[in-house]
Every structure is written in structure tokens, then in C-alpha cells.
Amino acid sequence: MKTTSRLLIGVSCIAAAMTAPAFAQDATAEADDSASSSEIVVTGSRGQGRTVISSPTPIDVIGGEDLEKLGGGMQLRDALTQLVPSFQSTTVGSSSFNSLTRPAGLRGLSGVHVLVLVNGKRRHNSSIIDFNSGATSQGGNPVDLDLIPSSAIERIEVLRDGASAQYGSDAIAGVINVILKTNDSGGRASIEAGQRYGRDGSGSDGETISASVSHGFAIGDGGSFTLSVEGKKANAAVRNTDVTGALYYPLPGGAPDPRELTANRRTYQGGLPYVKDVKVAQTLVLPLGNVEFYSDGTFGYRDARVGQAGRRPNSNQNILEIYPDGFTPFYTLKETDFQFTGGLRGETSGWNIDLSSTYGRNYAENGADNTLNASLGPSSPTEFKTFSSAFDQWTNNLDLTRRVELGGEAALQVSMGAEYRYESYVTKPLDVDSYRAGGYFYPTGPLAGRPAQVGAQGAIVVTPEDAADVNRNIWAGYVDLALDVSPRFLVTAAGRFEHFDDSSGSVFSGKVSARYELTDWLALRGAFSNGFRAPSLAQQDFAQTSTSINLVGGVYIPVLTKIVKTNSAVAQALGAEPLKPEKSKNYSLGFTLTPAAGLSLSVDAYQIDLDNRITLTGLLSGAGIRNILVANGFSGDQSVRFFTNAVDTRTRGIDVVGTYAFDIGSAGRLRTSVGFNYNDTDIKKIADNPPELAGLGLTLFDRRTQGWFTEGPKTKLILGANFESGPFMINVKETRYDKFRSLDNNAANDQSFGAKWITDLEVSYGVTEKLRVAAGAYNIFDVYPDRTTVANTIGLAPYGAGPFGQYGGYYYGRISLDF
């Protein structure tokens, strides 16, 4: 803890010296017009709203204006990474699913441990799961934040504390509550264009153009309707190296084919995908006598294509008659997503009552093009729709709350409610030819007599035996109490019972928290809770087949990989057991300081013990696994993974947020900020190998997989400043991402990557009161992660998978108009 103490003291000194701007703020200066510590938030407390500074647990508030100032064509999860120190999104390239629905999480946990709300109502999950990113969210299907249009957002409230007792399953690391605009007049339109710097003389790439418009309308007597629409088109950004080794068959006599000298060796096309998307959001508030009808909804459509590793012409993954020079397959996705909420709220007999129903659905059609199924021979198609996935969620809530005065200065806020939720997860195979074994054997050449590989290359394939069709019902009830013992002392308690009608069973969770003001400028706060996360339907029933690129023995190679259902015969043969719910215990303790006008600082330490953590096993392969599979009547030519309750982890950390806003005489106004997170995860226990794997010299949860949990960056520091003078505005941010390591099952192949500083800058000018132009750059100095030392024979990007991506700088311009 000595290192942690030094870091904490250093950051506290910085906060006191310079402190806060347009950046996520747990407590912002009361003198700051844009976001003050007296701002009312609704997340973390029911009924009576509380200010960010008076909350017993840490809450960050991000305004819609703050999202726009980031620029750079950023998606919502990237914006949260930029503005919330303990939130991290990883930019992944050429990982099919993960190139689009990228891993992200709060306080060192994954996206599946963060509950997402929209206007206080549970958001549905994606149907796309994370299984190939090398991240701690492996195997989850979290909410896809990027499908919520940023132009529709009034603010985002991020509760950084366990809240399962208040909001239910998934809220182990915290809650993200997206509040949509409800204005009854006025609006804003903007258009932005930008591109990446490029690398290795390849010229710029990643060209992106986006546009949005949002407008509010008055409806009836005191009602409002707000509509927001935005769209984006982004070209791919590729960072690759040359493929090494022979591409073609040698000539008779063994001489190399002369085409080796002129062949295109940049066959790897993985990276940031080509994407087109459209997103829409609406909110409606309509008074109806003594009650109010409200609704909100979002719709999103995404069309994407991302390259994979090239297939050599002289491999059993290719047919020379179709691709004489080899080929690069592309993963394709067409995705539709929507959610709609309708409800009534009003007051009767002293109780505020809210009755609502929310339905959400995510549907994805997965495929591949510029590819083939080599086992079909020269007649193979070159484009496939491989499978579809759908996640549906229907949530119904009844919430009641009232404030009871207890005499003197004491008061009790009583809240209670019930919830019914239905969830469904379905995957369906589509083109039979994408998985069909055609039985083609090479008739001539070095591969004569050998079988071609089965399955569409560069694709995620679901066979009929992999298909999923599962659903469940969930019932829950809760009580949430907040006792204002005095104006200086607040105590809260919550309890929740939740029942799942599948194998997850029933769970009770509770939480207590308190806040005490020692002085007008110093307050202590702390909380304890237990939480849970039921195994997702996707974790219980998702299965697929693919040829993926995996690090084996310190070298990247194509591997035929199957993820099998935990209850499948293959998994059972390898000792798989039914999944159990994850259980957590959360502890937090901190303080807030507001020692002077415009200056505030919050420090919160936390510990999260998470048991029965669900993840994918490592790749189970080798002679021992082959023997088990063959003995049970299965093919031995595959590497197998399945979901399991693999580990118990302990995560400890500290969040620091400081802000300082002040006038610089007649020159203008300066807002400065500092945000810091220290986060360290240790593995307390690894599940024992099942008897079926005894004596094979491997573990379900291998060393490489363990490193994904323990070896990531431990600190993130964000320094920001925003200067306004008349029509001019300058926004600058400096972010330090800590060093990290990548482990291999052989320690000799471990890699270390150094810490990096990333600088972002935007300058804008108000041409008129309504029109503003801006220009800026993300990662203005074009910083990249350190280069990897892994033997790279297939042309992958030569950089480590850093937390800020492998794609360098991005510059942009934007025009916005208020009307």
C-alpha cells in the first residue's frame, strides 16, 4: 500500500493545486455554471433526489455538452472512458464481435457487472457476446452503450458502487443511468468529419463522417416530445505487417514460386471496422389530469465489416481455383436494436407511484464475405450468412415512495417496489454451406489426399447442434430506506429478493450506506453491500465453431475452435458443471472536500470480492484432450472451450475526482479537473480441475487467461482544462494509461508494455450565438502502444493491445447549430 499512498497524496496535491472542467464530476464547484455540486441526481436514491455532493456513494455526472466536446466521432463507451477514471473500454481489432461491441467495465470488472438504465429503467442486453478479446468480460453479453444516440442525452449519472440490492442483478460494480432529453422547444444540429493519421507510410485512414439533429416540441398543456436522430459512416483503419514464409507451393524440384517476390504480404486486414449506423431516440411527457404518461424509446441499425487474418494459398483453408493468391476473409454484421418504455406516474395518499413496462430487443445477422468453405471444393460459395442471434427483454415495474417526517430535523424516505422480467436468447444457423462438411480432398499437389478444412473462414459459425433457444422469468421485490437523522447525518438501507425460474434460483441482497458531515466542507461516507449476477442466458447456451487466431507456444496460429454449451455431451466429457450465480461483497469508504468556492475533491477506496466468477476456460487441446474426445465419440481435431465458474477474485482500488473552477478576471473562465483510479485485481481461488482432466498437465483456467484478470493497467490519470473567453473555447485533456503485461502459458513468452500519455485538444469558436465551429484531435501526438515481441508470421498489428487502442491519432472538424 505504500505505492498507493504515494499516488493518492500526489493526486490530492494536484487536485488542490489546479483541479476541474468539463469532465465527469463527482462533486463540482458550486460556482461552476455548467455542472455544480448542488446538481440533483436520481441514481442511487429513490424518491427525494440528492445532490452529487450529498450522496452517500460516489456518483459522476456527465452532461450532454461534455460528450460533444470530446469529438473524434467517439462512441458512448469511449466517451465514458475519457471522462470517468474507473471506466475502461478496450479498442479491439479483428476479433469479429469485439471489434464492434468492445469490452468495457467499471472498477476493474466487466460490462456484465454494470447495470445500465435509461431514464431509470433497465436497458436490455446485446445478443452479441464477448469471447475473443482477452478481456475480463469474456463470455458476457453486456448492454451495448454505443447503440444509444449521444445527441439524445441530457446527462449520464454513473454510480460507482455495488447496487444489486437497489436495482437487481448485474449492478455489482455500479450503475450507469442515461438520462434522455425532455425539452419542449429548441434543438441542435451538428456535422463532424475526421480521419486517422495513418501509419508506416500507408496514408490516412479511418475516415469518418457523422451528423445529428435533436429537437423538442411542446405537446398539449405542459407536455413535451423530443426527437433525436444521428448517423455515421466510418471507414476501416488497419495496422498490419508483412506475412512471412512461403505463400505458394514450391515448383517441381523444390524451387520457390517466383510469385513470392511480388506477392502482397499485407494480407491481414483486421482493425477498426467499416461501419454505417443510424440511431434514433424519442421521449414523451404528457400530463393527463392527476397523472402523467411518459415514454421513451431508442432504435439503432448497424452495418459493419471487419477484416480477419489472410489465408495463404498453400493452406488447407483455401481452394486455388477460387483464390489462386490466397484471400482475406471479412466478418460481416447487420444489427437491429430497439427499446421502448411506457408508464404512468402520479401521487395518491402521500405516495408517489410509478408503473412502467419496457420492452427491448437486439437482433444480429452474422456472416462473412470474400471467403469460402474449403471442404466444399471449387464449388464453394464465397459469401455466407452464418447465423442470427436475438436477445429479448420485457421488464415491468411498480415503484412506490414517500417521505415521512419524524419530528425535529429527522425524516425517513420509504421506497418499495416489485419487478417482473422476461428474458429470451435465441441463436439460429443460417446458410447450411457455412458449416456443411463437403468432404473435399485435394486431388493433386503437396496436399494431395488430405481433407480441406470445414467451415466458412473468418466467420463465426453456429451449427444446428450449437443453436440456442432459452428463456426465463424473473420476479423481484425490494425495500429501500433513507433516514435523514439530521441535516448532517444520512443512513440508508436496502434489501432485495430476486427469483429466477431457471437454475439460477433465488438470491437476497442487501446494502447499507451512510454519510456524515464533520464540517461544512468535509464529509465522510461509506457503504457495504452484497450482490449477485445470475449466469446470462448466453453463457448458459451459446455455442459456436470458428477458425480463430490464437497465441499458442508464443506464436499466433489458426486454430479450429469450438465453444460448447456447458450441458453438452462434449463439455460433460471434459468435466463441465452447471453454472452458479456470481456472488459479491462490496466495501467502500471515502470523503468529500469543498474547502473553497469552486473547489471540490472526493476520494473513495473500495474492495470488491467476487466469487464463482464466470468466464471461458482456456483452450483445451493436446493429446490428453484429444484422447478424451475420441473415446467419447467426438472429433479430436479441435480445441474446446466452455463457460465455467472459474475463479474467485478480489479487486481493490481508489477513485479520486477533483475539480476547480474560477474566473481569470476579464480574460475568461477556467475549469480544471483531475481524475485518478488505482485498481488491482488478485485471484483468490481457482476452481479445481474436474476428475476428467486429472493428470493431463493443464488447468481449466490457464496462466494466460489468469493474466487477463491480474495484469492490466493498474492506474489511469486524467488531467483536464477548459478555458472560455467570449466566443472562444479551448478544451485540453491529458490521460496517462499505466503499464501492463501480457502473460503466456510459458513465462518465457510474457510481454511487458510501458505506460503512455495521450493528449486530446479541441478549439472552438462561436461564430454567432447559434453557430459554433470546432477543430480538434484525439491522441494529437500519434502515440502507439509498445511493439509486441510475439513472433508474427501472419501479419497482425505489431503493437500491444493497449487500453487506448493501436490506431494512433485522429483529427476532426465539427459545425453545430442551435435553433
Side-chain angles (χ1 to χ4, degrees):
M1 288 297 293
K2 290 182 179 180
T3 301
T4 305
S5 300
R6 288 196 296 268
L7 288 169
L8 176 59
I9 292 170
V11 171
S12 300
C13 291
I14 295 172
M18 49 87 57
T19 2
F23 151 97
Q25 298 155 33
D26 171 64
T28 310
E30 292 189 11
D32 187 353
D33 299 332
S34 64
S36 78
S37 59
S38 60
E39 183 173 4
I40 300 297
V41 295
V42 296
T43 309
S45 62
R46 298 182 185 271
Q48 179 186 10
R50 300 186 182 275
T51 66
V52 291
I53 200 67
S54 66
S55 170
T57 49
I59 297 177
D60 296 317
V61 179
I62 303 167
E65 296 284 343
D66 297 334
L67 297 176
E68 185 179 77
K69 288 172 186 173
L70 288 175
M74 282 191 183
Q75 301 282 48
L76 186 52
R77 76 186 65 203
D78 292 322
L80 291 174
T81 297
Q82 297 290 308
L83 298 171
V84 179
S86 61
F87 186 90
Q88 182 60 52
S89 171
T90 303
T91 301
V92 178
S94 190
S95 292
S96 302
F97 292 169
N98 300 131
S99 298
L100 300 160
T101 56
R102 292 172 289 104
L106 190 64
R107 285 188 163 180
L109 301 185
S110 75
V112 299
H113 300 113
V114 180
L115 178 62
V116 177
L117 308 174
V118 174
N119 287 344
K121 309 301 180 184
R122 178 183 281 264
R123 177 80 175 178
H124 67 280
N125 294 66
S126 173
S127 66
I128 299 175
I129 73 166
D130 167 22
F131 63 85
N132 196 32
S133 67
T136 56
S137 58
Q138 274 224 343
N141 61 317
V143 172
D144 191 342
L145 290 166
D146 294 343
L147 290 170
I148 302 173
S150 297
S151 60
I153 296 173
E154 177 183 316
R155 68 182 188 277
I156 300 174
E157 298 175 359
V158 181
L159 170 62
R160 292 180 276 113
D161 195 55
S164 294
Q166 296 167 288
Y167 296 104
S169 178
D170 303 344
I172 288 177
V175 176
I176 296 173
N177 190 8
V178 180
I179 310 297
L180 302 180
K181 295 175 181 176
T182 56
N183 49 301
D184 60 7
S185 65
R188 171 171 292 182
S190 71
I191 184 168
E192 180 177 301
Q195 60 186 21
R196 295 199 171 261
Y197 292 9
R199 191 69 168 174
D200 297 330
S202 60
S204 59
D205 59 5
E207 297 86 358
T208 301
I209 185 167
S210 60
S212 67
V213 60
S214 179
H215 194 273
F217 306 88
I219 300 292
D221 185 11
S224 66
F225 175 72
T226 308
L227 180 65
S228 303
V229 181
E230 63 183 53
K232 183 182 76 171
K233 178 182 178 181
N235 288 333
V238 178
R239 304 289 179 266
N240 55 5
T241 56
D242 288 347
V243 175
T244 61
L247 295 176
Y248 299 91
Y249 298 128
L251 298 177
D257 190 307
R259 288 177 295 178
E260 298 283 1
L261 299 176
T262 58
N264 174 21
R265 293 187 171 272
R266 290 288 176 105
T267 61
Y268 172 77
Q269 292 298 307
L272 297 181
Y274 167 84
V275 178
K276 293 189 296 183
D277 64 39
V278 176
K279 292 175 281 189
V280 181
Q282 66 84 23
T283 56
L284 172 67
V285 178
L286 187 61
L288 300 173
N290 295 327
V291 299
E292 182 178 75
F293 172 77
Y294 64 90
S295 76
D296 61 68
T298 63
F299 170 83
Y301 174 77
R302 179 161 53 194
D303 185 350
R305 185 174 186 259
V306 58
Q308 306 293 292
R311 270 50 172 180
R312 299 171 188 257
N314 62 357
S315 74
N316 71 337
Q317 301 164 355
N318 184 41
I319 299 295
L320 289 174
E321 290 87 340
I322 301 177
Y323 297 113
D325 296 312
F327 65 100
T328 297
F330 284 78
Y331 165 76
T332 62
L333 174 74
K334 296 184 185 297
E335 182 180 12
T336 303
D337 183 279
F338 70 87
Q339 178 159 313
F340 180 83
T341 295
L344 293 170
R345 55 194 172 208
E347 182 180 350
T348 181
S349 302
W351 289 90
N352 291 312
I353 301 177
D354 187 342
L355 177 65
S356 66
S357 183
T358 300
Y359 181 75
R361 175 178 174 84
N362 179 271
Y363 175 83
E365 183 180 273
N366 304 267
D369 63 22
N370 199 54
T371 185
L372 52 69
N373 177 350
S375 76
L376 302 180
S379 62
S380 171
T382 58
E383 182 176 349
F384 303 94
K385 295 178 180 178
T386 57
F387 79 100
S388 65
S389 59
F391 183 85
D392 293 79
Q393 183 174 278
W394 181 36
T395 307
N396 302 273
N397 293 94
L398 174 63
D399 301 294
L400 303 92
T401 185
R402 71 179 298 173
R403 182 175 175 84
V404 180
E405 302 296 336
L406 300 179
E409 296 180 318
L412 177 67
Q413 188 79 31
V414 180
S415 302
M416 63 185 68
E419 178 178 290
Y420 165 72
R421 188 167 79 251
Y422 169 82
E423 295 178 343
S424 168
Y425 179 70
V426 177
T427 61
K428 294 181 179 179
L430 297 178
D431 288 354
V432 173
D433 283 344
S434 69
Y435 58 83
R436 180 165 65 90
Y440 181 78
F441 283 75
Y442 292 96
T444 60
L447 296 179
R450 291 179 56 186
Q453 193 169 95
V454 178
Q457 294 297 308
I460 309 299
V461 174
V462 169
T463 68
E465 68 180 16
D466 294 334
D469 188 353
V470 288
N471 60 73
R472 65 185 174 193
N473 299 280
I474 304 105
W475 293 269
Y478 73 89
V479 175
D480 195 343
L481 306 174
L483 175 62
D484 287 289
V485 180
S486 72
R488 290 186 178 273
F489 187 28
L490 169 65
V491 179
T492 73
R496 186 183 186 94
F497 177 80
E498 198 148 349
H499 174 72
F500 295 74
D501 69 357
D502 63 1
S503 60
S504 302
S506 302
V507 185
F508 177 82
S509 56
K511 179 176 182 176
V512 293
S513 63
R515 179 182 182 275
Y516 184 72
E517 290 186 14
L518 296 174
T519 69
D520 291 339
W521 51 271
L522 173 63
L524 303 179
R525 62 187 180 190
F528 168 75
S529 65
N530 72 308
F532 70 99
R533 192 188 76 83
S536 70
L537 294 177
Q539 288 174 326
Q540 295 182 46
D541 227 50
F542 178 77
Q544 64 87 39
T545 304
S546 66
T547 300
S548 57
I549 304 302
N550 289 278
L551 185 62
V552 179
V555 179
Y556 287 110
I557 61 173
V559 178
L560 179 62
T561 304
K562 285 187 71 71
I563 295 176
V564 297
K565 302 175 185 179
T566 304
N567 62 0
S568 68
V570 172
Q572 295 295 309
L574 298 175
E577 297 181 352
L579 297 177
K580 299 177 290 187
E582 299 176 335
K583 301 288 185 69
S584 71
K585 292 182 180 178
N586 291 55
Y587 310 82
S588 66
L589 182 64
F591 63 87
T592 61
L593 285 170
T594 53
L599 174 63
S600 66
L601 175 71
S602 69
V603 179
D604 294 276
Y606 57 89
Q607 176 175 301
I608 306 172
D609 291 329
L610 184 54
D611 295 341
N612 300 325
R613 195 161 177 176
I614 300 170
T615 188
L616 281 167
T617 65
L619 277 176
L620 301 179
S621 60
I625 296 297
R626 178 184 177 86
N627 291 338
I628 293 174
L629 293 175
V630 172
N632 284 274
F634 307 112
S635 169
D637 296 326
Q638 58 184 313
S639 295
V640 178
R641 307 170 79 187
F642 54 83
F643 296 105
T644 185
N645 294 99
V647 290
D648 297 348
T649 62
R650 169 169 288 171
T651 300
R652 288 174 169 167
I654 297 173
D655 286 329
V656 180
V657 176
T659 64
Y660 187 33
F662 55 93
D663 292 325
I664 311 177
S666 60
R669 182 167 179 78
L670 181 65
R671 293 181 292 152
T672 60
S673 67
V674 60
F676 172 79
N677 173 251
Y678 167 83
N679 194 88
D680 182 40
T681 295
D682 294 318
I683 295 175
K684 298 191 300 179
K685 178 183 176 182
I686 299 176
D688 295 332
N689 268 8
E692 290 82 353
L693 301 184
L696 298 186
L698 53 81
T699 64
L700 284 179
F701 196 61
D702 57 28
R703 185 175 183 273
R704 178 173 179 246
T705 312
Q706 292 172 39
W708 297 340
F709 287 78
T710 62
E711 301 303 320
K714 287 184 167 48
T715 66
K716 184 169 72 171
L717 173 65
I718 308 173
L719 303 174
N722 178 262
F723 174 70
E724 294 184 54
S725 179
F728 286 99
M729 181 183 297
I730 300 175
N731 199 54
V732 62
K733 183 163 55 61
E734 190 79 17
T735 305
R736 181 188 185 274
Y737 294 95
D738 201 6
K739 61 185 179 181
F740 63 98
R741 291 204 302 160
S742 175
L743 301 187
D744 188 77
N745 290 331
N746 179 353
N749 296 322
D750 289 354
Q751 301 176 82
S752 296
F753 302 92
K756 301 294 181 181
W757 289 87
I758 305 297
T759 306
D760 308 325
L761 174 68
E762 179 177 291
V763 179
S764 67
Y765 177 74
V767 180
T768 69
E769 289 187 3
K770 303 290 187 180
L771 180 66
R772 178 169 287 272
V773 295
Y778 164 74
N779 192 358
I780 194 170
F781 297 116
D782 201 30
V783 176
Y784 279 75
D786 292 342
R787 287 181 174 260
T788 179
T789 59
V790 172
N792 185 3
T793 61
I794 61 176
L796 301 179
Y799 311 103
F804 55 90
Q806 312 170 349
Y807 304 97
Y810 178 95
Y811 58 94
Y812 61 91
R814 182 179 64 252
I815 301 174
S816 59
L817 175 67
D818 293 332
F819 54 90

